[in-house]
Amino acid sequence: MTYLLFTLLFSCSSTLIKKENDNFGIVIHGGAGTILKKNMTPEMEKNYREALSEATTIGYNILKEGGTSQEAIEKTIHYLENSPLFNAGKGAVLNAKGKVELDASFMDGKTLNAGAITGATRVKNPISAAIKVMKNSVHVLLSGKGADDFAKKEGLELVSPEYFITQRRLDALKRVQEKEKEKKVAIVEDSEVMYDPFIKDSKYGTVGCVALDKFGNLAAGTSTGGMTNKKWNRIGDSPIIGAGTYANNKTCAVSSTGWGEYFIRGIVAYDISALMEYKNLPLNEAAKIVIQEKLTKLGGSGGVVAIDNKGNIAMEFNTPGMYRAHMNSKGDLDVKIYKNE
Amino acid sequence: MTYLLFTLLFSCSSTLIKKENDNFGIVIHGGAGTILKKNMTPEMEKNYREALSEATTIGYNILKEGGTSQEAIEKTIHYLENSPLFNAGKGAVLNAKGKVELDASFMDGKTLNAGAITGATRVKNPISAAIKVMKNSVHVLLSGKGADDFAKKEGLELVSPEYFITQRRLDALKRVQEKEKEKKVAIVEDSEVMYDPFIKDSKYGTVGCVALDKFGNLAAGTSTGGMTNKKWNRIGDSPIIGAGTYANNKTCAVSSTGWGEYFIRGIVAYDISALMEYKNLPLNEAAKIVIQEKLTKLGGSGGVVAIDNKGNIAMEFNTPGMYRAHMNSKGDLDVKIYKNE
């Protein structure tokens, strides 16, 4: 009897070991840029740390209870999209016409399926629209009115474009446009003008999440309002699979945040995976080479969060700060903002 | 005196050898798909071969006379865009509303600069708009009305959206939509319905060009109308740097044509470059692995044309045919349509 019990327990536990991955985990970012302690009030810093902590815990709990990396990422990004603190969903930055144009993408590391939207103006949670594109369309990337129409057809919540607008982003746009008028050139690189009390270079705002679930499946998602004062229906890296988002069970899952144009040209998210696959580099080395060497040499700035298929993580950036947090399978939570913490 | 003359001649010629690359060359494609001899009239086949030959010669002559790879690609693609035979510019396929939405991209292998547009409806030559985005904006990818507005601001020729429409594409759209109504599902994979007299699977139409100039600089460009009956402002791989187009002087220049969704998920153009850079594979092996193994395993179909920094070329596809041509520095012209020629 004792023997039978032992055998049962043993086979049960070995099945569990086989099926479930002890090293599940989640990493998020809320944007990278010139985030300096001297520009931050203690209250605002507390707000950011709390939001990052809550968002990460949402995803962690889903993973812990056996949910998929897709579910964890979707719900975590909902929290960040619904918070006015971050440049995604409510609180997204405004284009030159004072409107939001929302981008998001999602990739599933098991199937290499992916979905993305760009230039949506009405879907409340763009990350869910990206996931719907992946699951229920033959396409990968939908844009503009088509993205909103598709989201509506899929039963996602649409809101008035005014829902997304916050005073902080109206002020930021006004500041940039006044400077543009004065200088008579497009303002994108002037960090003084992009300054806002919390992020200089507000072009860098994006939210993203990568996760490894108990089934060993990786996924990545990214959502953003793009760049303040953007014109001509500019598309950044966030909705571009391989640039802003990439996931592959063979290697890793990556979400980018930074000056999108450089991330597109550098194919940043996929390049980290390629270095792991083709040069057998560990995740942290691959991320370091791509961000600190290749992206920096190209003139780009920003960062990535990433997790590999063993649960190792990377939070690599070449800016003074990146809002970031992660939680491993033991429930250890780590929340950081500045470079040297 | 003789010595002086000899020295002058020698230093002049060694300068030339240093500056000019003997192995310049150009490769183009006009789309891949179920292109079978049995579906082609002799006259139509002749038209395609002549058009491919003329387009390639335009670029070759520019390169031969010391023009840049950018100039050669722009002018070559103009010819293909202006020809109603190909799915780009005039003769582009129609979306579900019977309109064109044009995509194009360009990348410069020396600087890794890039430009692209998607969903334009009025710019006569989308490849020129992509080049203008690269040269005169801080952005990489502009979309929809913004892309047309930017092209206009840059002084490019705009035309009425009707300019692009041909009877052949109206017929193709009607055929697909009738089938869709009958089947009550979105038609994208049904090759019978996508059949047109010249290309079944007309979703595969795209034009592209890669070139190596005498200065050793690589570049790549791609232009397309996308997929017949496309909905929700779908964006394919052609305007996506890394998927439809990639160029890097360290490795190669690539232009893709195929079922765009798979090329996006596979980051096809950059993956060829990554295999060369990280695994030291020659171009033809890298292209073969990415198209015949990786893309095929993912379920995708299509092909690429590519040229490396030594002038070696690849024209790799997993469909029954791909309109393609190349010309090397000796002026040898090679024009092919079907798989086994």
Side-chain angles (χ1 to χ4, degrees), chain B residues 109-177:
Chain B
K110 185 183 179 186
T111 59
L112 303 183
N113 277 338
I117 59 159
T118 176
T121 61
R122 300 195 56 208
V123 59
K124 188 184 174 198
N125 290 111
I127 191 66
S128 294
I131 291 171
K132 290 283 191 189
V133 170
M134 177 184 80
K135 293 175 89 170
N136 298 340
S137 89
V138 293
H139 300 307
V140 168
L141 178 53
L142 302 182
S143 65
K145 190 174 175 300
D148 284 319
D149 289 348
F150 178 78
K152 190 180 174 190
K153 183 184 88 68
E154 292 294 320
L156 294 179
E157 187 179 355
L158 295 198
V159 292
S160 147
E162 284 71 42
Y163 158 82
F164 300 105
I165 296 175
T166 58
Q167 191 57 47
R168 173 179 165 192
R169 303 305 187 185
L170 284 166
D171 294 345
L173 179 64
K174 200 177 155 201
R175 211 165 47 234
V176 173
Q177 291 190 329

Side-chain angles (χ1 to χ4, degrees), chain B residues 45-270:
Chain B
E45 186 175 318
K46 190 168 156 272
N47 290 346
Y48 272 106
R49 289 190 193 272
E50 278 177 9
L52 291 166
S53 164
E54 279 184 43
T56 311
T57 307
I58 289 169
Y60 169 80
N61 285 333
I62 291 170
L63 295 172
K64 194 185 165 195
E65 285 157 26
T68 65
S69 47
Q70 181 196 303
E71 289 163 344
I73 289 167
E74 185 173 16
K75 293 293 185 292
T76 299
I77 291 186
H78 280 185
Y79 180 91
L80 297 165
E81 286 175 339
N82 295 345
S83 162
L85 290 172
F86 303 98
N87 176 17
K90 188 172 183 68
V93 302
L94 305 175
N95 68 17
K97 291 174 181 167
K99 304 209 163 136
V100 296
E101 290 174 291
L102 305 167
D103 300 339
S105 61
F106 180 85
M107 188 161 185
D108 173 20
K110 185 183 179 186
T111 59
L112 303 183
N113 277 338
I117 59 159
T118 176
T121 61
R122 300 195 56 208
V123 59
K124 188 184 174 198
N125 290 111
I127 191 66
S128 294
I131 291 171
K132 290 283 191 189
V133 170
M134 177 184 80
K135 293 175 89 170
N136 298 340
S137 89
V138 293
H139 300 307
V140 168
L141 178 53
L142 302 182
S143 65
K145 190 174 175 300
D148 284 319
D149 289 348
F150 178 78
K152 190 180 174 190
K153 183 184 88 68
E154 292 294 320
L156 294 179
E157 187 179 355
L158 295 198
V159 292
S160 147
E162 284 71 42
Y163 158 82
F164 300 105
I165 296 175
T166 58
Q167 191 57 47
R168 173 179 165 192
R169 303 305 187 185
L170 284 166
D171 294 345
L173 179 64
K174 200 177 155 201
R175 211 165 47 234
V176 173
Q177 291 190 329
E178 275 170 4
K179 194 82 177 184
E180 191 174 74
K181 222 169 166 181
E182 190 189 314
K183 289 204 170 181
K184 292 180 185 163
V185 291
I187 303 292
V188 288
E189 294 191 61
D190 186 330
S191 63
E192 213 173 301
V193 129
M194 292 308 246
Y195 176 84
D196 88 20
F198 317 113
I199 314 187
K200 280 188 186 183
D201 296 317
S202 52
K203 62 178 169 289
Y204 296 142
T206 304
V207 308
C209 179
V210 296
L212 171 67
D213 64 27
K214 288 186 174 181
F215 313 102
N217 290 325
L218 290 165
T222 309
S223 181
T224 190
M227 190 187 274
T228 299
N229 197 35
K230 63 187 179 182
K231 299 184 178 79
W232 303 302
N233 307 115
R234 171 256 189 193
I235 300 175
D237 66 312
S238 297
I240 308 294
I241 299 303
T245 299
Y246 188 75
N248 188 334
N249 278 5
K250 276 173 84 172
T251 52
C252 63
V254 183
S255 171
S256 307
T257 169
W259 193 341
E261 277 68 11
Y262 291 92
F263 281 70
I264 293 177
R265 291 166 51 200
I267 303 111
V268 164
Y270 177 66

Side-chain angles (χ1 to χ4, degrees), chain A residues 45-337:
Chain A
E45 186 175 319
K46 189 168 158 270
N47 290 345
Y48 272 106
R49 289 191 193 272
E50 277 177 8
L52 291 166
S53 162
E54 279 184 45
T56 311
T57 307
I58 289 169
Y60 170 80
N61 285 333
I62 291 169
L63 295 172
K64 194 184 165 195
E65 285 157 26
T68 65
S69 47
Q70 180 195 303
E71 289 163 344
I73 289 167
E74 185 173 15
K75 293 295 186 292
T76 300
I77 292 186
H78 279 184
Y79 180 90
L80 298 166
E81 286 175 339
N82 295 345
S83 162
L85 289 173
F86 303 99
N87 176 17
K90 188 171 185 69
V93 301
L94 305 175
N95 68 16
K97 291 175 181 165
K99 304 209 163 135
V100 296
E101 289 174 293
L102 304 167
D103 301 340
S105 62
F106 180 86
M107 187 160 186
D108 172 20
K110 185 182 180 187
T111 59
L112 303 184
N113 276 340
I117 59 159
T118 177
T121 61
R122 298 196 56 207
V123 58
K124 188 183 174 197
N125 290 111
I127 192 67
S128 293
I131 291 171
K132 289 284 190 188
V133 170
M134 176 183 81
K135 293 175 89 170
N136 299 341
S137 89
V138 293
H139 299 307
V140 168
L141 178 52
L142 303 182
S143 64
K145 189 172 176 302
D148 283 319
D149 289 349
F150 178 79
K152 189 179 175 190
K153 185 185 86 68
E154 291 293 321
L156 294 180
E157 187 180 355
L158 296 198
V159 292
S160 148
E162 284 71 43
Y163 159 81
F164 300 105
I165 297 176
T166 57
Q167 192 58 46
R168 173 180 166 191
R169 303 306 188 185
L170 285 166
D171 294 346
L173 179 64
K174 201 178 155 202
R175 212 164 45 234
V176 173
Q177 291 190 329
E178 275 170 5
K179 195 82 176 184
E180 191 175 74
K181 223 170 167 180
E182 190 189 313
K183 289 203 170 182
K184 290 180 185 164
V185 291
I187 302 293
V188 288
E189 293 191 61
D190 186 329
S191 63
E192 212 174 301
V193 128
M194 292 308 247
Y195 176 84
D196 88 19
F198 317 114
I199 314 187
K200 280 189 187 183
D201 296 319
S202 52
K203 61 178 169 291
Y204 296 142
T206 305
V207 308
C209 178
V210 296
L212 171 67
D213 64 27
K214 288 187 174 181
F215 313 102
N217 290 325
L218 290 165
T222 309
S223 181
T224 190
M227 190 188 275
T228 300
N229 198 35
K230 63 186 178 182
K231 299 185 178 77
W232 304 302
N233 307 116
R234 172 257 189 191
I235 300 175
D237 66 311
S238 298
I240 309 295
I241 299 303
T245 299
Y246 188 75
N248 188 334
N249 278 4
K250 277 172 84 172
T251 52
C252 62
V254 183
S255 171
S256 307
T257 169
W259 193 340
E261 276 68 12
Y262 292 92
F263 281 70
I264 293 176
R265 292 165 53 200
I267 303 110
V268 163
Y270 177 66
D271 205 21
I272 294 171
S273 171
L275 278 170
M276 291 180 71
E277 186 176 353
Y278 298 147
K279 299 210 93 171
N280 288 316
L281 294 186
L283 175 65
N284 60 345
E285 274 186 46
K288 192 167 275 181
I289 288 169
V290 171
I291 298 300
Q292 307 300 350
E293 294 176 24
K294 297 182 79 171
L295 181 73
T296 304
K297 196 180 158 197
L298 208 57
S301 49
V304 293
V305 295
I307 187 165
D308 73 11
N309 57 16
K310 306 276 191 299
N312 301 306
I313 68 148
M315 304 191 292
E316 197 70 44
F317 54 101
N318 68 357
T319 47
M322 179 167 80
Y323 297 111
R324 61 202 188 278
H326 75 97
M327 219 160 162
N328 63 17
S329 47
K330 290 173 205 153
D332 302 326
L333 173 67
D334 192 21
V335 179
K336 289 177 177 170
I337 296 179

